[in-house]
Amino acid sequence: LAQNWKPILSYDIFHSTIGYISDVLFTLFADQVLKTKDFSTDACQFVHQLFGKALDNIMEILEGDVEEVRTWSRFQAIGRFMDMTMGDIETAIADGVFSSVTGQELTKLIQAAFDESPRRQELLRVLTAN
């Protein structure tokens, strides 16, 4: 699709079109992940790799100019989450990595990815405090 459109469309039209298509796909993927109630370690790794590959492909198609992809940082944050420990997540919260993800969404991800434990409760408490 991109190979056929790029020579025909202007730079702006091409980027906004690919940006729109990316937003639709990223939203569909992210919504499915956010609906999941329980992730295995293998599932987390699969999602992390899938999201990373999708981001890399769009970055390549758009030659690094992802400004038109409105959901870029949200999709990237969810993908990164899937390869993090609870300590990594706590640091990422403090660093603003999840600024494009709502607190409710991040809570759902934490509850789905980690078993009930005092550490998970502490992480959820830190999230609520931010």
Side-chain angles (χ1 to χ4, degrees):
L1 186 64
Q3 290 174 346
N4 292 329
W5 285 2
K6 193 170 187 175
I8 298 168
L9 300 175
S10 72
Y11 180 91
D12 290 340
I13 298 294
F14 176 76
H15 277 74
S16 77
T17 301
I18 296 298
Y20 176 78
I21 292 168
S22 299
D23 285 335
V24 170
L25 291 173
F26 287 177
T27 299
L28 289 171
F29 286 168
D31 287 351
Q32 289 303 307
V33 168
L34 291 167
K35 288 179 186 177
T36 303
K37 302 271 189 240
D38 188 28
F39 290 108
S40 67
T41 302
D42 288 341
C44 286
Q45 287 303 306
F46 175 78
V47 170
H48 171 71
Q49 290 172 359
L50 177 69
F51 280 32
K53 181 80 169 153
L55 290 163
D56 290 345
N57 287 339
I58 297 303
M59 178 76 76
E60 183 179 331
I61 290 168
L62 295 176
E63 299 173 343
D65 183 3
V66 296
E67 185 178 327
E68 294 291 331
V69 185
R70 293 175 290 125
T71 56
W72 184 269
S73 59
R74 179 175 183 257
F75 193 73
Q76 187 176 46
I78 293 169
R80 287 181 63 189
F81 171 92
M82 302 307 283
D83 192 40
M84 290 183 172
T85 65
M86 283 192 264
D88 295 337
I89 294 165
E90 190 168 359
T91 301
I93 290 169
D95 292 344
V97 170
F98 299 113
S99 61
S100 58
V101 179
T102 69
Q104 184 179 11
E105 290 170 335
L106 193 52
T107 296
K108 286 180 182 180
L109 288 170
I110 292 167
Q111 290 171 334
F114 299 100
D115 292 332
E116 177 63 43
S117 69
R119 179 69 179 109
R120 185 178 89 168
Q121 285 307 112
E122 175 61 20
L123 181 57
L124 292 171
R125 187 194 63 71
V126 166
L127 177 60
T128 305
N130 286 322

